[in-house]
Amino acid sequence: MNTMPLKVSSTQVNTKAQEKLPLMIKVVLFFSLVSIGVKGQVFGFNMSGISWFVPLIVSCFIIGQRVKRVSFPVIIWLPWLFLLIGHLFFVDYRLIDPRVIPIQRSLQILTPLAVGMAVSTYRPSIMLVMRFFDVLRLFSYCLIVCQLTWGNLLSFRAFAAENMLVLLLCVVFANRYLMFKELKDLQLWLILGGIPLLSVTRTVIANTLLTFPLAFTSTTLTRRLFFLGLICIGGIGIFQLPQVQEKMFFSGEGKLSDVGRSDDFATSGRSAMWERLYNEAQNAPLLGHGTGAGETLTYAFAPVGYPHNDWLLTYFDYGILGVIILLVSILLTLWHGIRAQRKTKDKNIKLLFMAGLSAFIPFMMVMYTDNILVYASFFGMLHYTILGFGYAVLKTEKNARLSQRIPIN
């Protein structure tokens, strides 16, 4: 019996080189751009809603057809899934503001998970992964063009939610630069990093600056400290800009020591909302008030439903139990992903995992000051696409190793 490993022919290599991006990835990239470049309604539906709902439907269809091929560690997220779905059965709609739709919020939160599962059912080649990063680079420039074309030209002030997508792309190209040391990645990072600055989106600016020091991609401590030093210098310079000073302080100017402490520090009304929600949350600290309760309370004294603090909103709606389940799910995903990337030596596969895992850090930090948990179109879908693609190609590599061990009669 011959036990020589199977060889991959040149024809097979060429076939792989001609592979196209999976449908699910195309859908995510397309609707991510649509959510930014197309505003208003189509057939009575908001484009922002269509941009996450269509990918959700496509994801569910793909999962239904290929459920046995899902390689994303969905078991980690089952408690979170059951919590969100379970709460929907106990919503008292008589107490919910008519503008609040509990099932919509739950589906928005779960859409990235469905996308990650769907993407993980594919079995891409390494060549396709390399092409994926090239497409992401093109996607990034298209995003910038969309803002310049359909936005307010050089006024990015209305580019708040979209900045989350910019932040995610900065995470990707910071990790890619550290992995491959290609100048084009650093150049793109600098271009993208300027968008949150023009938008004066404070938390996103801070997290964008931290994408290099906090990147999961392996690098020397000296290099991390070097980037951290640059970030500190750049951050201090940005803080002194008139636009930033105007956004940070009611008086239009202040010092770093005044941030978060002085009465002059501007929180855009967040402090008042947070205090009221936190005090009310103490009435049901363990299990929370239920899906939609936090938005309903916020609507009672503010023109918006989301209090710009996803950790607080999760605590209000789902209690300490919900916060713990969400946090543990994220931490277990980080642990599982770090272990998974150790199974390969290919840099492109490792990059998918490093970028996907690194993105959880700014995600958790932005949750303190924004509604990123429901920003499926602007962060979650592409985030889980990257991570799901990592698990997909890792499965391809594993299958290839197993096939090479099969003896030939």
Side-chain angles (χ1 to χ4, degrees):
M1 180 171 292
N2 189 349
T3 58
M4 293 181 63
L6 293 174
K7 295 182 178 180
V8 180
S9 67
S10 59
T11 302
Q12 289 174 309
V13 173
N14 290 335
T15 300
K16 288 182 178 181
Q18 296 171 2
E19 282 183 293
K20 296 180 180 179
L21 282 180
L23 172 64
M24 191 65 246
I25 293 182
K26 292 179 180 179
V27 169
V28 168
L29 294 178
F30 175 76
F31 281 100
S32 294
L33 281 181
V34 166
S35 66
I36 292 174
V38 183
K39 305 300 180 182
Q41 295 185 336
V42 175
F43 302 116
F45 297 98
N46 291 328
M47 286 307 304
S48 58
I50 293 174
S51 296
W52 65 262
F53 187 71
V54 173
L56 174 62
I57 296 301
V58 176
S59 297
C60 292
F61 176 79
I62 292 175
I63 294 170
Q65 296 292 314
R66 315 164 73 166
V67 65
K68 293 184 179 180
R69 292 169 61 92
V70 174
S71 54
F72 190 90
V74 65
I75 190 172
I76 293 175
W77 290 92
L78 287 181
W80 180 241
L81 173 67
F82 292 148
L83 178 74
L84 293 179
I85 295 178
H87 264 268
L88 290 177
F89 289 101
F90 298 98
V91 174
D92 188 347
Y93 286 91
R94 295 172 301 177
L95 304 177
I96 299 297
D97 188 284
R99 292 167 289 184
V100 178
I101 309 175
I103 190 172
Q104 175 179 319
R105 177 168 177 249
S106 299
L107 290 177
Q108 281 181 273
I109 294 174
L110 293 174
T111 293
L113 179 60
V115 168
M117 292 173 61
V119 172
S120 74
T121 65
Y122 294 98
R123 297 296 175 259
S125 67
I126 299 299
M127 293 294 295
L128 191 58
V129 174
M130 295 169 66
R131 185 176 301 155
F132 173 66
F133 285 109
D134 290 336
V135 171
L136 272 187
R137 188 173 290 104
L138 177 61
F139 172 84
S140 300
Y141 285 113
C142 288
L143 182 154
I144 297 169
V145 171
C146 281
Q147 171 58 16
L148 292 175
T149 304
W150 287 286
N152 301 316
L153 294 180
L154 293 180
S155 176
F156 286 72
R157 290 301 181 94
F159 205 50
E162 293 84 348
N163 271 313
M164 306 303 169
L165 185 54
V166 173
L167 173 58
L168 176 60
L169 291 169
C170 283
V171 171
V172 172
F173 290 104
N175 278 272
R176 195 178 190 285
Y177 176 75
L178 292 174
M179 183 78 73
F180 293 99
K181 309 297 187 298
E182 293 186 6
L183 186 58
K184 59 183 179 182
D185 294 320
L186 181 59
Q187 291 172 337
L188 182 54
W189 183 90
L190 289 170
I191 296 173
L192 289 169
I195 296 178
L197 180 59
L198 291 171
S199 306
V200 197
T201 312
R202 293 170 289 184
T203 305
V204 178
I205 291 174
N207 280 280
T208 300
L209 292 174
L210 290 171
T211 51
F212 273 103
L214 299 182
F216 274 43
T217 295
S218 179
T219 187
T220 63
L221 178 60
T222 302
R223 182 168 290 156
R224 289 189 188 277
L225 292 176
F226 171 74
F227 280 118
L228 187 59
L230 289 179
I231 294 313
C232 291
I233 296 172
I236 293 174
I238 291 172
F239 180 78
Q240 301 299 329
L241 292 175
Q243 302 94 320
V244 176
Q245 288 279 304
E246 181 183 349
K247 182 81 175 280
M248 296 285 281
F249 303 100
F250 292 114
S251 63
E253 60 179 334
K255 302 177 182 179
L256 279 172
S257 58
D258 297 327
V259 175
R261 298 180 180 180
S262 170
D263 292 336
D264 190 37
F265 181 66
T267 63
S268 303
R270 286 175 170 83
S271 296
M273 287 191 293
W274 295 348
E275 182 178 1
R276 185 160 180 179
L277 257 73
Y278 180 77
N279 291 334
E280 184 67 26
Q282 305 310 304
N283 296 325
L286 183 59
L287 300 178
H289 291 75
T291 306
E295 292 176 78
T296 297
L297 177 60
T298 306
Y299 267 130
F301 60 88
V304 294
Y306 286 107
H308 297 285
N309 188 325
D310 271 333
W311 288 114
L312 178 57
L313 186 57
T314 300
Y315 174 51
F316 191 96
D317 284 1
Y318 307 116
I320 295 174
L321 178 64
V323 173
I324 291 176
I325 289 176
L326 176 58
L327 181 59
V328 170
S329 297
I330 293 174
L331 294 177
L332 286 177
T333 301
L334 292 173
W335 171 79
H336 193 280
I338 290 173
R339 291 189 62 192
Q341 63 86 28
R342 290 173 181 167
K343 298 176 182 178
T344 181
K345 293 183 179 180
D346 188 273
K347 284 188 174 182
N348 291 285
I349 300 178
K350 285 183 176 292
L351 178 57
L352 286 170
F353 280 101
M354 293 298 96
L357 298 176
S358 296
F360 278 111
I361 304 303
F363 175 82
M364 289 190 290
M365 295 174 69
V366 172
M367 279 183 66
Y368 281 106
T369 59
D370 220 310
N371 319 308
I372 194 171
L373 200 59
V374 294
Y375 286 158
S377 304
F378 303 116
F379 194 97
M381 292 195 312
L382 184 55
H383 179 197
Y384 280 68
T385 292
I386 295 168
L387 200 53
F389 208 38
Y391 280 103
V393 71
L394 189 65
K395 190 69 173 178
T396 300
E397 190 178 68
K398 179 181 178 181
N399 291 342
R401 287 198 299 266
L402 291 174
S403 66
Q404 289 178 349
R405 296 174 187 171
I406 299 176
I408 303 176
N409 293 327

